[in-house]
Amino acid sequence: MMSSEEDDQPVPEEDATDPSGDNPIADGRTREADAPQETLADGENLSDEVAGESDTSDSPFETEPDAVEQSEDLDGADEITASETDVVLKQEPELTSDFTRSPDSDPLNVVIEPDSDLPAGQCQVEFTEQVGDTRKTIAVMLSFDPRLPNAKKGTPWKSSLKDLFRKPDTAEISDIRVTEPSKYGLDYDPAAGLLTGTPEEDGDHEIEISFSVSHPEFSELVPKTVLLNWLVNPNPRDLWKDIPSKESLPYWKVDSDHGALDGDGYRLVGASQRGRSHAHVGGCRDDDFGFKYSKSSGWYLFAVADGAGACEFSRKGSELVIRKVLKVAGEKIADLDIEVLEQHVAAHLQGDEEAAQEIILKLLYPVIGEATLAAYREVCDFATKEEQELKKFSTTLLLTLARPTKHGLFFASYGIGDGGVAAYCAAREGKEAQIIPLNKQDGGAFAGETLFFTMKDFWTEENMPRQIAGRTFFKVLQEEVTVIAAMTDGVTDPKFETDHNFANQPERWEKFWKELTVTGGEARDEGINLHGPIDDVARDLLGYLNFFSRGNHDDRTLILFYPHPPPA
């Protein structure tokens, strides 16, 4: 799950599901190479063994805010109720039973108390009629709920006024009206008695309600007005500040980034958005990403990294790892013999179990091993040069390689930490949707627990070969892939919630893909046209990442790899 950037209490997480990509080496493996964990203040875990010095051993191949967040459940207020209505007859004992009195008795006439002196939710209505030399007066007490149901700014709201008053025993209430409802972003339908709209301003409001009251013993209607209290809570997202990070901060990086490239038959689009937890305090973005395509070799490479929020310079750690791993992997993958890969792929598809081992150990291991070790050493050397602890640069890493072959699309992934990489094939022509997860997410027992690429124990001479080979998975897709997506936990947590859902719930992926490409989700009015102008696609993807999800305010990074132009 995500590194803890929120004030939410940790909750137990479902067991992660192993990737469905092929890796016979990883089957049944233990976490002996995983570093011991300690819990930091924000819930992330780092190794006790991580030290500030670089591991210089030779390898076989030349390393919330404390935001006041209002409850989302603001429209669950009780239905409007009214206390019992009392009909009060104020008269002197000497008056006759028809409640009349002579004009000479004016000093003894009924005195109607001002509504301001009455308890909230009560008002009096005076009926007076002159009949000859006598005047008949009756005071009726009306009871109502003085509060309208609470609302939230920017969220549709409605309330019925038909039952605002409990029906009096004698008086009749009619012609209920609302004074200037548009002032509050509302409309009132007198026929339905319904007050609806989307509040435009938060705060305490007083809405004036006017109505008429009749009495069977009096011929005229009495007009009356009351004030109803209406609380509009702020929209939680409006409470979050967006303070630009200061370029003077050590190892500063831009608050958001996006980019895209077109290859031969596929498109890569990526975006990274600083989380609200960082933006609220003017902090830097800790995530990073990158991708590249080699026309000569036909390989696509892309990677995402999530710097540990509790570590002071993790933003630099993620940047160093991404740049170095892509550079070295790009150089090494160019030397991979494609004919040998094709032969092993064909044998693997025929059920040859040894072919899978050959692909991982002889073809992928030299590429991924060289690249990841070089990236680890890059961070170690930088920390040493800056006289900082290596732990301060802690980051995760998810690296993916992809290439079309004559047997289908070959893709492989290596990862340490949370976040996820998976291929999604949408349902089509009678075929059900398919998910192929390509990494084992290193989530702990509670939200915020994970492992980091920069943990020293991974890179000992004893552990390094096992952790690299055991964390490398590949798959050959012989059908059209909809997308291969790589994302940090800032996306997986709000969109999939658990590692199990990410790896095993096609309906979650269907919803996610529909948001991206059709509806636009919460942050956009429409979906992203993935085959539109490339710069527009990247910019729109960045806009999509601005969605609001309660309790999920971490950095968000997402890379999409998909066929382009679209299949005929």
Side-chain angles (χ1 to χ4, degrees), residues 70-71 73-75 150-155 199 201-205 230-236 238-239:
Q70 299 293 325
S71 169
D73 189 18
L74 298 178
D75 56 354
N150 290 355
K152 182 173 70 175
K153 179 183 174 182
T155 300
E201 297 291 337
D202 59 74
D204 289 301
H205 305 283
W230 187 41
L231 173 62
V232 178
N233 287 286
N235 191 312
D238 293 339
L239 300 175

Side-chain angles (χ1 to χ4, degrees), residues 105-126:
S105 61
D106 279 348
L108 300 177
N109 280 349
V110 175
V111 177
I112 303 297
E113 297 183 29
D115 287 347
S116 59
D117 294 339
L118 295 174
Q122 291 186 341
C123 68
Q124 287 182 330
V125 182
E126 176 186 6

Side-chain angles (χ1 to χ4, degrees), residues 117-140:
D117 294 339
L118 295 174
Q122 291 186 341
C123 68
Q124 287 182 330
V125 182
E126 176 186 6
F127 294 92
T128 301
E129 193 169 65
Q130 191 76 28
V131 181
D133 294 335
T134 61
R135 188 177 68 179
K136 181 166 64 175
T137 300
I138 289 180
V140 175

Side-chain angles (χ1 to χ4, degrees), residues 230-464:
W230 187 41
L231 173 62
V232 178
N233 287 286
N235 191 312
R237 72 197 63 190
D238 293 339
L239 300 175
W240 292 90
K241 300 175 184 176
D242 187 9
I243 303 173
S245 59
K246 295 181 180 179
E247 295 186 32
S248 59
L249 290 171
Y251 318 125
W252 176 85
K253 69 170 64 170
V254 293
D255 293 337
S256 63
D257 196 9
H258 62 280
L261 65 81
D262 282 335
D264 186 9
Y266 292 89
R267 171 173 280 185
L268 271 167
V269 182
S272 184
Q273 176 64 56
R274 181 178 62 156
R276 288 182 173 85
S277 57
H278 292 155
H280 190 75
V281 295
C284 289
R285 174 174 56 95
D286 292 329
D287 278 11
D288 219 305
F289 77 100
F291 42 71
K292 63 191 312 179
Y293 167 66
S294 171
K295 189 171 182 63
S296 59
S297 68
W299 283 99
Y300 298 83
L301 293 80
F302 49 101
V304 298
D306 178 4
C311 300
E312 187 177 4
F313 304 133
S314 64
R315 58 183 174 272
K316 187 63 177 180
S318 63
E319 177 187 320
L320 290 170
V321 166
I322 291 292
R323 302 299 176 267
K324 193 67 173 182
V325 79
L326 289 176
K327 179 178 184 298
V328 177
E331 294 169 353
K332 296 299 178 182
I333 200 76
D335 297 331
L336 192 149
D337 192 322
I338 298 301
E339 289 188 6
V340 174
L341 175 64
E342 296 271 14
Q343 292 171 6
H344 286 315
V345 166
H348 169 65
L349 293 175
Q350 293 298 318
D352 186 343
E353 295 182 2
E354 292 185 2
Q357 295 190 34
E358 293 289 309
I359 290 173
I360 290 177
L361 294 178
K362 292 189 176 180
L363 300 180
L364 296 178
Y365 183 78
V367 175
I368 293 175
E370 286 273 11
T372 54
L373 181 61
Y376 172 71
R377 285 179 168 171
E378 182 86 353
V379 181
C380 290
D381 291 346
F382 187 86
T384 300
K385 176 184 175 184
E386 296 292 304
E387 298 182 347
Q388 299 287 350
E389 291 182 279
L390 178 61
K391 182 185 293 188
K392 292 184 178 181
F393 298 88
S394 297
T395 182
T396 67
L397 172 66
L398 297 174
L399 169 66
T400 304
L401 319 171
R403 188 190 191 281
T405 73
K406 60 185 178 183
H407 302 290
L409 178 64
F410 176 92
F411 59 102
S413 182
Y414 162 89
I416 294 181
D418 49 20
V421 180
Y424 168 61
C425 301
R428 59 169 68 91
E429 297 178 0
K431 291 186 178 181
E432 295 183 352
Q434 183 182 8
I435 308 166
I436 304 168
L438 252 290
N439 72 301
K440 182 176 177 60
Q441 296 173 314
D442 293 310
F446 297 96
E449 293 184 346
T450 192
L451 303 177
F452 293 100
F453 174 80
T454 42
M455 286 178 169
K456 188 175 182 180
D457 275 9
F458 284 128
W459 303 99
T460 64
E461 184 175 353
E462 177 185 1
N463 290 334
M464 182 177 59

